[in-house]
Amino acid sequence: MTIQLHNTTRRALPEAKLKKAVRLVLSEEGGKAVSIDAIYCGGRMMRRINREFLGHDYDTDTVTFPYSEGLVVEGEFYVSLDEVGRNAVRFKSGFEQELLRVTIHSVLHLLGYDDASPEERERMRQKEDRYLRILGAGVSSTEERSQV
């Protein structure tokens, strides 16, 4: 199993916790990582990725590129630390908790989960909350998040 974290910013990240979160989600969901690259970047890089690959001209917290289907996972995801910071303030969750949440969310996407409908978003949110509790990261109020 290859899980590589890449930090393109100067901000220190809790790499051991992030890898633990990735492994936890894979294990609990029955997945096996062939290769996962997690790239933590700033807003400018995220906007460029979003514009180039998805045709959206805005920052977002994560963009995920699965290169496989099913439980044998190969892919990469990008997480905007700028957006994570804004979300941490917005949801009063703290930066590290929000960073773990977005990382968990990204791995769920690699496993094939989607969040296009309200029902899918709620299912993912419940899984995120569960994994945050297992990691001991606590859970912020999901009431406001359900509106997003």
Side-chain angles (χ1 to χ4, degrees):
M1 168 168 38
T2 304
I3 300 170
Q4 293 191 349
L5 273 56
H6 309 276
N7 184 357
T8 68
T9 73
R10 293 185 177 156
R11 184 171 192 143
L13 296 178
E15 292 187 20
K17 286 184 182 180
L18 293 170
K19 284 186 177 184
K20 183 176 180 180
V22 172
R23 288 186 189 107
L24 172 68
V25 174
L26 288 170
S27 172
E28 292 288 316
E29 296 293 325
K32 180 178 180 349
V34 172
S35 175
I36 295 176
D37 284 302
I39 299 94
Y40 296 89
C41 61
R44 281 186 298 185
M45 183 174 179
M46 180 62 81
R47 182 174 279 240
R48 189 177 74 237
I49 291 164
N50 215 2
R51 191 172 40 242
E52 185 177 328
F53 294 99
L54 301 176
H56 305 149
D57 193 20
Y58 53 83
D59 195 7
T60 187
D61 54 5
T62 185
V63 173
T64 307
F65 298 100
Y67 301 133
S68 62
E69 291 183 16
L71 296 176
V72 177
V73 180
E74 186 172 4
E76 63 187 85
F77 61 86
Y78 294 78
V79 172
S80 168
L81 299 181
D82 294 335
E83 194 67 18
V84 165
R86 284 189 284 274
N87 286 345
V89 170
R90 178 179 177 194
F91 297 119
K92 300 174 180 73
S93 61
F95 182 82
E96 186 173 297
Q97 181 187 5
E98 190 64 24
L99 181 62
L100 287 167
R101 179 180 294 280
V102 175
T103 298
I104 290 165
H105 185 88
S106 302
V107 177
L108 289 169
H109 275 310
L110 288 178
L111 286 161
Y113 288 93
D114 202 357
D115 57 2
S117 73
E119 296 80 17
E120 290 170 326
R121 275 191 299 280
E122 180 59 26
R123 182 176 183 205
M124 285 185 79
R125 188 78 62 227
Q126 288 174 359
K127 287 185 174 289
E128 292 164 15
D129 289 349
R130 176 175 178 264
Y131 294 131
L132 285 170
R133 279 192 291 277
I134 292 171
L135 291 166
V139 178
S140 60
S141 171
T142 57
E143 191 172 306
E144 185 178 343
R145 286 183 181 278
S146 64
Q147 306 300 318
V148 178

